[in-house]
PDB file of all heavy atoms in Angstrom:
ATOM      1  N   GLY A 757    -117.939  26.567 -76.487  1.00 93.00           N
ATOM      2  CA  GLY A 757    -117.564  27.053 -75.130  1.00 93.00           C
ATOM      3  C   GLY A 757    -116.063  27.007 -74.774  1.00 93.00           C
ATOM      4  O   GLY A 757    -115.544  27.527 -73.808  1.00 93.00           O
ATOM      5  N   ALA A 758    -115.271  26.440 -75.802  1.00 90.00           N
ATOM      6  CA  ALA A 758    -113.817  26.383 -75.637  1.00 90.00           C
ATOM      7  C   ALA A 758    -113.142  27.577 -76.519  1.00 90.00           C
ATOM      8  O   ALA A 758    -112.859  27.271 -77.629  1.00 90.00           O
ATOM      9  CB  ALA A 758    -113.225  25.098 -76.062  1.00 90.00           C
ATOM     10  N   ASN A 759    -113.105  28.742 -75.878  1.00 82.00           N
ATOM     11  CA  ASN A 759    -112.582  29.807 -76.702  1.00 82.00           C
ATOM     12  C   ASN A 759    -111.072  29.636 -76.785  1.00 82.00           C
ATOM     13  O   ASN A 759    -110.425  29.000 -75.947  1.00 82.00           O
ATOM     14  CB  ASN A 759    -112.928  31.120 -76.001  1.00 82.00           C
ATOM     15  CG  ASN A 759    -114.393  31.289 -76.040  1.00 82.00           C
ATOM     16  OD1 ASN A 759    -115.120  31.035 -77.033  1.00 82.00           O
ATOM     17  ND2 ASN A 759    -114.886  31.739 -74.808  1.00 82.00           N
ATOM     18  N   GLN A 760    -110.558  30.237 -77.963  1.00 90.00           N
ATOM     19  CA  GLN A 760    -109.069  30.099 -78.091  1.00 90.00           C
ATOM     20  C   GLN A 760    -108.386  30.923 -76.975  1.00 90.00           C
ATOM     21  O   GLN A 760    -108.758  31.953 -76.626  1.00 90.00           O
ATOM     22  CB  GLN A 760    -108.751  30.611 -79.445  1.00 90.00           C
ATOM     23  CG  GLN A 760    -109.392  29.936 -80.632  1.00 90.00           C
ATOM     24  CD  GLN A 760    -109.017  30.527 -81.965  1.00 90.00           C
ATOM     25  OE1 GLN A 760    -107.916  30.768 -82.287  1.00 90.00           O
ATOM     26  NE2 GLN A 760    -110.073  30.951 -82.699  1.00 90.00           N
ATOM     27  N   PRO A 761    -107.220  30.227 -76.618  1.00 92.00           N
ATOM     28  CA  PRO A 761    -106.617  31.035 -75.469  1.00 92.00           C
ATOM     29  C   PRO A 761    -106.064  32.486 -75.945  1.00 92.00           C
ATOM     30  O   PRO A 761    -105.650  32.541 -77.250  1.00 92.00           O
ATOM     31  CB  PRO A 761    -105.452  30.128 -75.184  1.00 92.00           C
ATOM     32  CG  PRO A 761    -105.294  29.163 -76.259  1.00 92.00           C
ATOM     33  CD  PRO A 761    -106.626  29.053 -76.948  1.00 92.00           C
ATOM     34  N   ASP A 762    -105.969  33.351 -75.107  1.00 93.00           N
ATOM     35  CA  ASP A 762    -105.405  34.561 -75.449  1.00 93.00           C
ATOM     36  C   ASP A 762    -104.372  35.182 -74.501  1.00 93.00           C
ATOM     37  O   ASP A 762    -104.118  34.382 -73.423  1.00 93.00           O
ATOM     38  CB  ASP A 762    -106.529  35.715 -75.702  1.00 93.00           C
ATOM     39  CG  ASP A 762    -107.426  35.740 -74.555  1.00 93.00           C
ATOM     40  OD1 ASP A 762    -107.025  35.310 -73.398  1.00 93.00           O
ATOM     41  OD2 ASP A 762    -108.542  36.396 -74.558  1.00 93.00           O
ATOM     42  N   GLY A 763    -103.838  36.137 -74.584  1.00 93.00           N
ATOM     43  CA  GLY A 763    -102.762  36.770 -73.760  1.00 93.00           C
ATOM     44  C   GLY A 763    -101.371  36.463 -74.222  1.00 93.00           C
ATOM     45  O   GLY A 763    -101.166  36.016 -75.425  1.00 93.00           O
ATOM     46  N   MET A 764    -100.434  36.772 -73.332  1.00 93.00           N
ATOM     47  CA  MET A 764     -99.106  36.548 -73.653  1.00 93.00           C
ATOM     48  C   MET A 764     -98.360  35.446 -73.044  1.00 93.00           C
ATOM     49  O   MET A 764     -98.859  35.016 -71.881  1.00 93.00           O
ATOM     50  CB  MET A 764     -98.269  37.800 -73.142  1.00 93.00           C
ATOM     51  CG  MET A 764     -98.862  39.147 -73.365  1.00 93.00           C
ATOM     52  SD  MET A 764     -98.245  39.744 -75.032  1.00 93.00           S
ATOM     53  CE  MET A 764     -96.578  40.236 -74.455  1.00 93.00           C
ATOM     54  N   VAL A 765     -97.463  34.720 -73.584  1.00 93.00           N
ATOM     55  CA  VAL A 765     -96.728  33.668 -72.993  1.00 93.00           C
ATOM     56  C   VAL A 765     -95.369  34.189 -72.676  1.00 93.00           C
ATOM     57  O   VAL A 765     -94.667  34.695 -73.665  1.00 93.00           O
ATOM     58  CB  VAL A 765     -96.682  32.477 -73.895  1.00 93.00           C
ATOM     59  CG1 VAL A 765     -95.797  31.326 -73.263  1.00 93.00           C
ATOM     60  CG2 VAL A 765     -98.032  31.955 -74.177  1.00 93.00           C
ATOM     61  N   ASN A 766     -94.955  34.176 -71.416  1.00 95.00           N
ATOM     62  CA  ASN A 766     -93.653  34.623 -71.153  1.00 95.00           C
ATOM     63  C   ASN A 766     -92.685  33.469 -71.142  1.00 95.00           C
ATOM     64  O   ASN A 766     -92.562  32.753 -70.136  1.00 95.00           O
ATOM     65  CB  ASN A 766     -93.688  35.330 -69.696  1.00 95.00           C
ATOM     66  CG  ASN A 766     -92.347  35.936 -69.363  1.00 95.00           C
ATOM     67  OD1 ASN A 766     -91.294  35.569 -69.960  1.00 95.00           O
ATOM     68  ND2 ASN A 766     -92.285  36.812 -68.435  1.00 95.00           N
ATOM     69  N   LEU A 767     -92.031  33.308 -72.243  1.00 94.00           N
ATOM     70  CA  LEU A 767     -91.061  32.138 -72.345  1.00 94.00           C
ATOM     71  C   LEU A 767     -89.944  32.152 -71.263  1.00 94.00           C
ATOM     72  O   LEU A 767     -89.519  31.144 -70.907  1.00 94.00           O
ATOM     73  CB  LEU A 767     -90.558  32.068 -73.744  1.00 94.00           C
ATOM     74  CG  LEU A 767     -91.563  31.667 -74.815  1.00 94.00           C
ATOM     75  CD1 LEU A 767     -90.929  31.982 -76.283  1.00 94.00           C
ATOM     76  CD2 LEU A 767     -92.141  30.306 -74.664  1.00 94.00           C
ATOM     77  N   THR A 768     -89.595  33.339 -71.003  1.00 95.00           N
ATOM     78  CA  THR A 768     -88.479  33.375 -69.937  1.00 95.00           C
ATOM     79  C   THR A 768     -88.871  32.853 -68.616  1.00 95.00           C
ATOM     80  O   THR A 768     -88.072  32.063 -68.048  1.00 95.00           O
ATOM     81  CB  THR A 768     -88.076  34.822 -69.719  1.00 95.00           C
ATOM     82  OG1 THR A 768     -88.144  35.499 -70.978  1.00 95.00           O
ATOM     83  CG2 THR A 768     -86.871  35.003 -68.891  1.00 95.00           C
ATOM     84  N   ALA A 769     -90.143  32.937 -68.248  1.00 93.00           N
ATOM     85  CA  ALA A 769     -90.793  32.506 -67.083  1.00 93.00           C
ATOM     86  C   ALA A 769     -90.776  30.963 -67.037  1.00 93.00           C
ATOM     87  O   ALA A 769     -90.879  30.343 -66.085  1.00 93.00           O
ATOM     88  CB  ALA A 769     -91.951  33.162 -66.759  1.00 93.00           C
ATOM     89  N   LEU A 770     -90.910  30.418 -68.275  1.00 92.00           N
ATOM     90  CA  LEU A 770     -91.003  28.898 -68.440  1.00 92.00           C
ATOM     91  C   LEU A 770     -89.738  28.205 -68.627  1.00 92.00           C
ATOM     92  O   LEU A 770     -89.644  27.059 -68.726  1.00 92.00           O
ATOM     93  CB  LEU A 770     -91.860  28.699 -69.705  1.00 92.00           C
ATOM     94  CG  LEU A 770     -93.313  29.092 -69.777  1.00 92.00           C
ATOM     95  CD1 LEU A 770     -94.008  28.777 -70.918  1.00 92.00           C
ATOM     96  CD2 LEU A 770     -94.081  28.536 -68.417  1.00 92.00           C
ATOM     97  N   GLN A 771     -88.505  28.984 -68.555  1.00 93.00           N
ATOM     98  CA  GLN A 771     -87.365  28.340 -68.737  1.00 93.00           C
ATOM     99  C   GLN A 771     -86.994  27.397 -67.456  1.00 93.00           C
ATOM    100  O   GLN A 771     -87.374  27.736 -66.374  1.00 93.00           O
ATOM    101  CB  GLN A 771     -86.231  29.312 -68.844  1.00 93.00           C
ATOM    102  CG  GLN A 771     -86.217  29.997 -70.231  1.00 93.00           C
ATOM    103  CD  GLN A 771     -85.081  31.037 -70.388  1.00 93.00           C
ATOM    104  OE1 GLN A 771     -84.408  31.408 -69.360  1.00 93.00           O
ATOM    105  NE2 GLN A 771     -84.970  31.679 -71.466  1.00 93.00           N
ATOM    106  N   ASN A 772     -86.321  26.338 -67.756  1.00 93.00           N
ATOM    107  CA  ASN A 772     -85.916  25.447 -66.776  1.00 93.00           C
ATOM    108  C   ASN A 772     -84.593  25.683 -66.208  1.00 93.00           C
ATOM    109  O   ASN A 772     -83.746  26.151 -67.053  1.00 93.00           O
ATOM    110  CB  ASN A 772     -85.985  23.997 -67.267  1.00 93.00           C
ATOM    111  CG  ASN A 772     -87.220  23.557 -67.851  1.00 93.00           C
ATOM    112  OD1 ASN A 772     -88.273  23.438 -67.043  1.00 93.00           O
ATOM    113  ND2 ASN A 772     -87.463  23.399 -69.133  1.00 93.00           N
ATOM    114  N   ASN A 773     -84.421  25.580 -64.915  1.00 92.00           N
ATOM    115  CA  ASN A 773     -82.969  25.742 -64.390  1.00 92.00           C
ATOM    116  C   ASN A 773     -82.513  24.336 -64.198  1.00 92.00           C
ATOM    117  O   ASN A 773     -82.748  23.666 -63.264  1.00 92.00           O
ATOM    118  CB  ASN A 773     -83.068  26.430 -63.048  1.00 92.00           C
ATOM    119  CG  ASN A 773     -81.701  26.661 -62.397  1.00 92.00           C
ATOM    120  OD1 ASN A 773     -80.731  26.223 -63.125  1.00 92.00           O
ATOM    121  ND2 ASN A 773     -81.660  27.213 -61.218  1.00 92.00           N
ATOM    122  N   TYR A 774     -81.699  23.950 -65.205  1.00 92.00           N
ATOM    123  CA  TYR A 774     -81.028  22.618 -65.143  1.00 92.00           C
ATOM    124  C   TYR A 774     -79.994  22.415 -63.898  1.00 92.00           C
ATOM    125  O   TYR A 774     -79.586  21.411 -63.681  1.00 92.00           O
ATOM    126  CB  TYR A 774     -80.534  22.167 -66.383  1.00 92.00           C
ATOM    127  CG  TYR A 774     -81.641  21.963 -67.466  1.00 92.00           C
ATOM    128  CD1 TYR A 774     -81.791  22.881 -68.556  1.00 92.00           C
ATOM    129  CD2 TYR A 774     -82.688  21.076 -67.228  1.00 92.00           C
ATOM    130  CE1 TYR A 774     -82.855  22.818 -69.404  1.00 92.00           C
ATOM    131  CE2 TYR A 774     -83.759  20.883 -68.210  1.00 92.00           C
ATOM    132  CZ  TYR A 774     -83.824  21.910 -69.297  1.00 92.00           C
ATOM    133  OH  TYR A 774     -84.903  21.639 -70.061  1.00 92.00           O
ATOM    134  N   HIS A 775     -79.608  23.547 -63.417  1.00 90.00           N
ATOM    135  CA  HIS A 775     -78.643  23.439 -62.222  1.00 90.00           C
ATOM    136  C   HIS A 775     -79.373  22.994 -60.958  1.00 90.00           C
ATOM    137  O   HIS A 775     -78.704  22.649 -59.959  1.00 90.00           O
ATOM    138  CB  HIS A 775     -77.948  24.782 -61.968  1.00 90.00           C
ATOM    139  CG  HIS A 775     -77.102  25.187 -63.020  1.00 90.00           C
ATOM    140  ND1 HIS A 775     -75.745  24.728 -63.178  1.00 90.00           N
ATOM    141  CD2 HIS A 775     -77.266  25.939 -64.133  1.00 90.00           C
ATOM    142  CE1 HIS A 775     -75.148  25.102 -64.220  1.00 90.00           C
ATOM    143  NE2 HIS A 775     -76.064  25.910 -64.881  1.00 90.00           N
ATOM    144  N   ASP A 776     -80.733  22.822 -61.159  1.00 85.00           N
ATOM    145  CA  ASP A 776     -81.488  22.282 -60.016  1.00 85.00           C
ATOM    146  C   ASP A 776     -81.568  20.832 -59.998  1.00 85.00           C
ATOM    147  O   ASP A 776     -82.013  20.206 -58.967  1.00 85.00           O
ATOM    148  CB  ASP A 776     -82.960  22.732 -60.284  1.00 85.00           C
ATOM    149  CG  ASP A 776     -83.187  24.172 -59.561  1.00 85.00           C
ATOM    150  OD1 ASP A 776     -82.419  24.594 -58.874  1.00 85.00           O
ATOM    151  OD2 ASP A 776     -84.428  24.570 -59.718  1.00 85.00           O
ATOM    152  N   TYR A 777     -81.021  20.169 -60.981  1.00 86.00           N
ATOM    153  CA  TYR A 777     -81.083  18.693 -61.052  1.00 86.00           C
ATOM    154  C   TYR A 777     -80.408  18.130 -59.721  1.00 86.00           C
ATOM    155  O   TYR A 777     -79.316  18.529 -59.402  1.00 86.00           O
ATOM    156  CB  TYR A 777     -80.461  18.319 -62.281  1.00 86.00           C
ATOM    157  CG  TYR A 777     -80.736  16.797 -62.616  1.00 86.00           C
ATOM    158  CD1 TYR A 777     -81.967  16.525 -63.253  1.00 86.00           C
ATOM    159  CD2 TYR A 777     -79.871  15.790 -62.306  1.00 86.00           C
ATOM    160  CE1 TYR A 777     -82.163  15.132 -63.651  1.00 86.00           C
ATOM    161  CE2 TYR A 777     -80.210  14.447 -62.650  1.00 86.00           C
ATOM    162  CZ  TYR A 777     -81.270  14.173 -63.305  1.00 86.00           C
ATOM    163  OH  TYR A 777     -81.585  12.791 -63.607  1.00 86.00           O
ATOM    164  N   GLU A 778     -81.090  17.298 -59.005  1.00 79.00           N
ATOM    165  CA  GLU A 778     -80.816  17.046 -57.722  1.00 79.00           C
ATOM    166  C   GLU A 778     -80.091  15.520 -57.459  1.00 79.00           C
ATOM    167  O   GLU A 778     -79.195  15.460 -56.649  1.00 79.00           O
ATOM    168  CB  GLU A 778     -81.969  17.142 -56.745  1.00 79.00           C
ATOM    169  CG  GLU A 778     -81.540  17.316 -55.347  1.00 79.00           C
ATOM    170  CD  GLU A 778     -82.890  17.525 -54.563  1.00 79.00           C
ATOM    171  OE1 GLU A 778     -83.747  16.620 -54.551  1.00 79.00           O
ATOM    172  OE2 GLU A 778     -83.055  18.596 -53.901  1.00 79.00           O
ATOM    173  N   GLY A 779     -80.619  14.577 -58.184  1.00 64.00           N
ATOM    174  CA  GLY A 779     -80.043  13.248 -58.026  1.00 64.00           C
ATOM    175  C   GLY A 779     -80.736  12.628 -56.775  1.00 64.00           C
ATOM    176  O   GLY A 779     -81.931  12.889 -56.492  1.00 64.00           O
ATOM    177  N   ASP A 780     -80.089  11.658 -56.189  1.00 61.00           N
ATOM    178  CA  ASP A 780     -80.786  10.839 -55.164  1.00 61.00           C
ATOM    179  C   ASP A 780     -80.753  11.480 -53.775  1.00 61.00           C
ATOM    180  O   ASP A 780     -79.791  12.121 -53.372  1.00 61.00           O
ATOM    181  CB  ASP A 780     -79.993   9.459 -55.035  1.00 61.00           C
ATOM    182  CG  ASP A 780     -79.991   8.750 -56.325  1.00 61.00           C
ATOM    183  OD1 ASP A 780     -80.607   9.181 -57.242  1.00 61.00           O
ATOM    184  OD2 ASP A 780     -79.298   7.748 -56.346  1.00 61.00           O
ATOM    185  N   VAL A 781     -81.809  11.236 -53.085  1.00 60.00           N
ATOM    186  CA  VAL A 781     -81.743  11.571 -51.649  1.00 60.00           C
ATOM    187  C   VAL A 781     -82.203  10.296 -50.793  1.00 60.00           C
ATOM    188  O   VAL A 781     -83.152   9.678 -51.146  1.00 60.00           O
ATOM    189  CB  VAL A 781     -82.851  12.691 -51.303  1.00 60.00           C
ATOM    190  CG1 VAL A 781     -82.899  12.997 -49.828  1.00 60.00           C
ATOM    191  CG2 VAL A 781     -82.692  13.904 -52.066  1.00 60.00           C
ATOM    192  N   ALA A 782     -81.283   9.864 -49.888  1.00 61.00           N
ATOM    193  CA  ALA A 782     -81.449   8.683 -49.267  1.00 61.00           C
ATOM    194  C   ALA A 782     -81.534   8.754 -47.763  1.00 61.00           C
ATOM    195  O   ALA A 782     -80.883   9.729 -47.262  1.00 61.00           O
ATOM    196  CB  ALA A 782     -80.329   7.492 -49.673  1.00 61.00           C
ATOM    197  N   VAL A 783     -82.284   8.045 -47.150  1.00 60.00           N
ATOM    198  CA  VAL A 783     -82.394   8.042 -45.651  1.00 60.00           C
ATOM    199  C   VAL A 783     -82.090   6.607 -45.011  1.00 60.00           C
ATOM    200  O   VAL A 783     -82.605   5.700 -45.436  1.00 60.00           O
ATOM    201  CB  VAL A 783     -83.973   8.286 -45.301  1.00 60.00           C
ATOM    202  CG1 VAL A 783     -84.133   8.544 -43.804  1.00 60.00           C
ATOM    203  CG2 VAL A 783     -84.639   9.415 -46.141  1.00 60.00           C
TER     204      VAL A 783
END
Side-chain angles (χ1 to χ4, degrees):
N759 297 317
Q760 299 177 55
D762 53 14
M764 313 268 289
V765 175
N766 185 342
L767 292 171
T768 313
L770 294 181
Q771 284 176 359
N772 301 295
N773 178 5
Y774 295 113
H775 292 281
D776 270 356
Y777 196 82
E778 203 176 59
D780 304 351
V781 179
V783 187

